[in-house]
Amino acid sequence: MPAPTASLLSLSIARLYRLGRVALCLALGGLLVACGDKPAPPSTAAVQQLPDDSVLARIYDSSCKLCHANPASSAPLTGDVQAWRPRIAQGADTLLDHSINGYNGMPPMGLCMQCSEEQFLALIRFMSAQDLQ
């Protein structure tokens, strides 16, 4: 007759094995759901364009473009309305606060130490291609 601890151990291992299989199935199912249709990223032309205002164009080119024209940065790309939509929904005050104080990967002042609040808001409008609320 096997010792009681040995049978408890084999029972625990069997439960862990089943739990692992269930977790694997759930993870694979989650990955398949994530394979849905995604909106196309903005065109290269949209990402490369500059604001019409020459002062904003210089600021964008020297500060914002480093991240907002680089898909690897995880920043919302210029002209990507879908990526900007939830951010715009937060309102101008929140976006201005994130621009000035930094947020997640965004550095404080967005690398533009001389920018005014009005310039930040104008640049956000340009990059998001949306009006601020």
Side-chain angles (χ1 to χ4, degrees), residues 5 82 86 104 119-120:
T5 52
Q82 288 298 106
N104 289 337
Q119 288 172 321
F120 279 123

Side-chain angles (χ1 to χ4, degrees), residues 55 58-59 62-63 109 111-117 119-120:
V55 173
R58 278 193 304 276
I59 293 169
S62 65
S63 297
M109 299 299 286
L111 302 177
C112 181
M113 301 308 156
Q114 76 279 7
C115 282
S116 69
E117 290 182 0
Q119 288 172 321
F120 279 123

Side-chain angles (χ1 to χ4, degrees), residues 73-132:
S73 74
S74 77
L77 296 177
T78 298
D80 189 345
V81 175
Q82 288 298 106
W84 279 97
R85 190 166 284 136
R87 291 162 174 90
I88 295 298
Q90 294 176 15
D93 290 339
T94 299
L95 289 169
L96 188 57
D97 177 66
H98 291 172
S99 298
I100 293 170
N101 297 310
Y103 184 74
N104 289 337
M106 172 128 175
M109 299 299 286
L111 302 177
C112 181
M113 301 308 156
Q114 76 279 7
C115 282
S116 69
E117 290 182 0
E118 292 78 21
Q119 288 172 321
F120 279 123
L121 293 172
L123 287 162
I124 292 167
R125 275 192 293 279
F126 165 74
M127 290 185 289
S128 68
Q130 300 171 58
D131 284 330
L132 296 174

Side-chain angles (χ1 to χ4, degrees), residues 1-13:
M1 173 176 212
T5 52
S7 77
L8 285 176
L9 181 61
S10 65
L11 183 61
S12 295
I13 291 173

Side-chain angles (χ1 to χ4, degrees), residues 57-73:
R58 278 193 304 276
I59 293 169
Y60 174 79
D61 196 47
S62 65
S63 297
C64 312
K65 189 176 177 180
L66 180 65
C67 296
H68 292 281
N70 179 3
S73 74

